[in-house]
Amino acid sequence: MLFSNSILFDLVIFTFSLAVAKLVLDRRSSHLATLRGPRSNNIFFGRIREFLDDPATAVDRWVSEYGYVFKMPSVLGTNRIVISDPKAVAHVYANDSFGYQRLSSGKKFTRTFFGHSMLSADGEDHRRLRRAAAPAFTNGALRDTMNVFYDSVYKLKGAWDVLFESHDEVIIDVQQWYDPNSHRNINLMLDSMGIAGFGHDFRSLDGHKSPVSEALDGLLEDSSFRVVLTVGVFFPQVLKLPLKRIKIIRRMQKAFTDIAKVLLENSQQEKEFSDVEKDRSILGLLLKGRSQNTNFKLLQDEAVGQSHLSTNYHANMIVTVSLSVRPTIFLLLACTQTMEKWALVELARHPEMQHKLRRELLQFSGSDPTWDQIVTGTACPYLDAVVNEALRLHPPVQTLQRIADKDDVVPLSSPIKTSSGKMVDSIFIPKGTTVTTPFVYINRSEAFWGPNAKQFVPERWLEENPYPSKDFSGYRHLYTFSDGPRICLGKMFALAEFKAVLSVLIRNFTFELPSGPDTPIGIHKGVLPRPKLADEAGCVLRMRVRQATREGEQSSQ
């Protein structure tokens, strides 16, 4: 009898939940019915697979038919809104983290791998963590990281110079910065960002493997990682299974935590002993936030304001807040590494641009450009243009999803036609609706960037922009770093590393694709879209590398 009552109760709850879900979906669908969009061609996936496979091409086609705002059939009969209208995009991202939040599946995924962090937080929680971390990402705090980036790339240059002692030309797989015949895997960015971000040398340039490098290689190169992570976003329980890829991420998570604890111990020694070498890494600066004698203070309620709590509590809280930036730095590492490879591909495709950039950089043949010269200054306008064009044409994060946390009316720059034929200059988005922004389409749209929008043209950044892209509010009118309250906190950190690497490599080496500028380039669809040789099965990007000469005589220093 008790068993029967239990089953009856479960059935009632299940039926009630279905009814509520149906009411919510019916309400949402009734409002979305006014929007036009492509029809579903798959009962389970709608048009989502087509969209994920090539978002730029799919959205380009749909925008031409339905306008800059349309609905797209998604998983299991649901719909999402896709927006690329400038005013609509600005509105959504101005309210990011409050009116529009990360999808719950994405937040669960981030918490599983990185713990509680800025990436998994929303609203006041996100604002609090961001305010605590922000002092370590200012220009003043980051200026010293240039030396770290230069040290790492010069170690790579030294390794390559050895190869040229017996060869005029060397084949380098720039995907891993190594000579394919040596079987040596070098992760340049891991070393530089490890020191600058975590105060920890992963020694990748010395051939050392670590849980972090193992996870990074898997995320960027192993397609099976993408499958596991994609499934994990929709079904977080998968991330708790004892799978090999999950174990790799867990080991990375533990490694980051151990690094933070060591940094905490070192910061205490700095406080007690004046002759201890100062740690200027991002996490090091955050850990100093508990000191009353530093400008890098953590929020009072996140660190030491509660004097009645134990020292261990303080230490744990500080490590927690410091580790909240861990996924930010890790994602910067992955994204910047991807953008650097795309920049080298485009410069190899356009030898005249590579030569023009080298001529500009040779003004620093006796020294290296400083932070104030190439990050915040204008000493290298063409380097700045090349970097911006790589960010525009090849954004590592191609789309971003948010879910409406409340009913909202979104203004439009240009009116769109509804399913009834009416022209409207705003749209209603009901609470719970998924809103997708296709950054890669926006960055490559001829309507926004002109007739050569799909081509690599750094010169566009040296001229006045006459196109509607100037209406976008992101960094340099790009949404590569997102925008609003959740704009990438470490964008200047990433740009500094990007420019330091290019400035040294292009000054000292020339890069050519195996079959010349017209060598077919494909896309390796891992977690991030990376360039590869189209005729290679794996994520391989071999280039013919030579030592550059100045005025045809001597190698630049």
Side-chain angles (χ1 to χ4, degrees):
M1 184 67 179
L2 182 62
F3 181 69
S4 298
N5 289 337
S6 176
I7 293 178
L8 180 61
F9 178 76
D10 289 343
L11 286 174
V12 170
I13 294 297
F14 179 71
T15 303
F16 177 75
S17 300
L18 284 180
V20 171
K22 186 176 185 304
L23 285 173
V24 171
L25 290 175
D26 286 348
R27 174 181 178 274
R28 196 180 305 161
S29 298
S30 65
H31 288 288
L32 297 185
T34 62
L35 290 177
R36 298 185 302 153
R39 292 182 176 275
S40 175
N41 58 8
N42 186 293
I43 190 173
F44 295 107
F45 300 104
R47 305 298 286 267
I48 197 69
R49 289 192 297 185
E50 181 181 354
F51 174 78
L52 293 177
D53 185 59
D54 188 353
T57 300
V59 174
D60 199 9
R61 184 173 66 253
W62 293 332
V63 163
S64 66
E65 187 172 354
Y66 307 111
Y68 292 115
V69 178
F70 58 87
K71 66 179 179 181
M72 181 182 70
S74 188
V75 179
L76 299 178
T78 60
N79 284 283
R80 63 177 60 186
I81 294 178
V82 181
I83 61 170
S84 52
D85 178 274
K87 189 177 288 187
V89 173
H91 175 88
V92 168
Y93 287 93
N95 293 282
D96 199 359
S97 191
F98 290 90
Y100 294 87
Q101 300 188 351
R102 292 195 66 204
L103 273 64
S104 59
S105 55
K107 288 191 282 190
K108 289 178 182 177
F109 167 80
T110 306
R111 287 195 186 101
T112 298
F113 284 141
F114 294 107
H116 185 53
S117 69
M118 282 187 289
L119 288 186
S120 62
D122 273 311
E124 288 299 331
D125 191 20
H126 174 267
R127 177 184 289 174
R128 185 166 56 249
L129 290 172
R130 187 178 177 95
R131 284 174 58 195
F137 286 94
T138 62
N139 288 332
L142 293 175
R143 188 171 280 107
D144 291 341
T145 62
M146 289 299 290
N147 292 330
V148 174
F149 296 146
Y150 283 131
D151 286 346
S152 292
V153 72
Y154 273 114
K155 285 181 183 179
L156 177 66
K157 176 185 176 297
W160 284 8
D161 284 343
V162 173
L163 301 176
F164 289 106
E165 291 177 357
S166 55
H167 300 86
D168 293 331
E169 178 182 291
V170 175
I171 302 298
I172 300 287
D173 182 356
V174 300
Q175 206 59 271
Q176 296 295 342
W177 306 115
Y178 78 120
D179 171 10
N181 296 319
S182 72
H183 304 290
R184 183 183 178 192
N185 189 334
I186 296 174
N187 198 318
L188 166 66
M189 277 200 55
L190 181 60
D191 283 0
S192 59
M193 284 210 171
I195 296 171
F198 304 107
H200 180 83
D201 189 353
F202 290 103
R203 296 171 51 215
S204 175
L205 287 165
D206 298 326
H208 182 71
K209 296 293 291 184
S210 71
V212 178
S213 63
E214 186 181 18
L216 184 65
D217 291 342
L219 286 169
L220 293 179
E221 297 176 32
D222 189 346
S223 296
S224 62
F225 257 85
R226 186 188 188 201
V227 175
V228 172
L229 298 184
T230 300
V231 173
V233 167
F234 295 102
F235 304 100
Q237 295 81 2
V238 171
L239 303 178
K240 298 180 181 180
L241 297 176
L243 303 175
K244 177 182 177 182
R245 275 76 186 170
I246 304 300
K247 289 180 179 179
I248 289 175
I249 299 294
R250 296 292 189 196
R251 287 197 294 270
M252 177 198 70
Q253 187 179 30
K254 182 180 183 301
F256 276 135
T257 302
D258 292 342
I259 289 169
K261 289 179 179 178
V262 170
L263 278 176
L264 180 61
E265 295 173 1
N266 292 342
S267 70
Q268 182 62 33
Q269 291 181 8
E270 286 184 25
K271 188 177 179 181
E272 295 175 359
F273 304 101
S274 60
D275 58 342
V276 174
E277 183 178 355
K278 304 299 182 183
D279 179 8
R280 299 290 297 175
S281 70
I282 288 174
L283 280 187
L285 292 174
L286 286 176
L287 290 170
K288 292 182 183 70
R290 65 191 187 130
S291 169
Q292 296 300 319
N293 300 317
T294 176
N295 291 325
F296 299 99
K297 292 184 173 66
L298 299 180
L299 291 179
Q300 184 176 9
D301 59 344
E302 296 288 356
V304 299
Q306 305 176 55
S307 59
H308 62 284
L309 297 176
S310 69
T311 301
N312 285 338
Y313 178 89
H314 292 162
N316 289 336
M317 183 62 73
I318 292 165
V319 170
T320 298
V321 175
S322 300
L323 287 181
S324 75
V325 304
R326 173 180 57 189
T328 299
I329 300 174
F330 184 76
L331 289 178
L332 283 175
L333 171 61
C335 291
T336 310
Q337 187 164 316
T338 299
M339 290 187 293
E340 288 172 355
K341 308 307 164 48
W342 276 114
L344 287 178
V345 165
E346 294 295 354
L347 291 172
R349 281 172 162 172
H350 303 89
E352 74 287 355
M353 296 178 185
Q354 185 178 159
H355 183 61
K356 182 176 180 178
L357 176 58
R358 186 173 296 109
R359 286 203 313 270
E360 178 181 85
L361 292 170
L362 283 175
Q363 65 178 297
F364 300 101
S365 58
S367 61
D368 294 305
T370 65
W371 174 282
D372 294 325
Q373 288 175 316
I374 65 171
V375 180
T376 58
T378 58
C380 294
Y382 200 66
L383 172 62
D384 193 57
V386 167
V387 167
N388 288 335
E389 189 68 348
L391 293 173
R392 183 191 71 83
L393 198 59
H394 303 291
V397 178
Q398 298 190 329
T399 66
L400 206 59
Q401 281 68 235
R402 291 291 182 258
I403 188 166
D405 190 45
K406 57 185 178 182
D407 291 348
D408 192 22
V409 176
V410 178
L412 304 177
S413 302
S414 303
I416 62 170
K417 182 186 292 186
T418 66
S419 56
S420 65
K422 180 182 178 182
M423 301 299 293
V424 296
D425 57 7
S426 65
I427 59 168
F428 177 78
I429 296 182
K431 179 179 178 179
T433 303
T434 299
V435 179
T436 295
T437 310
F439 295 149
V440 66
Y441 163 74
I442 293 172
N443 286 3
R444 298 178 185 176
S445 170
E446 294 179 356
F448 297 140
W449 292 93
N452 60 2
K454 294 178 174 60
Q455 301 170 23
F456 186 80
V457 185
E459 284 72 17
R460 78 174 77 246
W461 298 97
L462 305 176
E463 305 164 352
E464 185 177 353
N465 180 9
Y467 299 106
S469 56
K470 64 179 180 295
D471 295 332
F472 288 109
S473 59
Y475 171 80
R476 302 302 295 267
H477 307 299
L478 298 171
Y479 284 102
T480 302
F481 293 112
S482 190
D483 194 29
R486 297 192 77 108
I487 191 171
C488 178
L489 187 61
K491 64 180 183 297
M492 302 308 291
F493 183 76
L495 289 169
E497 206 279 346
F498 195 170
K499 291 181 177 182
V501 169
L502 280 186
S503 70
V504 173
L505 293 184
I506 298 301
R507 265 186 294 161
N508 290 280
F509 304 99
T510 65
F511 296 86
E512 299 177 21
L513 292 168
S515 301
D518 296 327
T519 301
I521 297 295
I523 297 178
H524 179 76
K525 294 180 180 178
V527 175
L528 299 176
R530 308 181 82 194
K532 63 180 287 292
L533 297 178
D535 58 355
E536 292 283 352
C539 188
V540 176
L541 188 58
R542 287 190 299 272
M543 289 191 179
R544 294 154 53 193
V545 181
R546 296 185 180 91
Q547 288 181 308
T549 58
R550 185 173 186 180
E551 298 177 354
E553 295 177 2
Q554 61 184 16
S555 175
S556 63
Q557 186 61 34

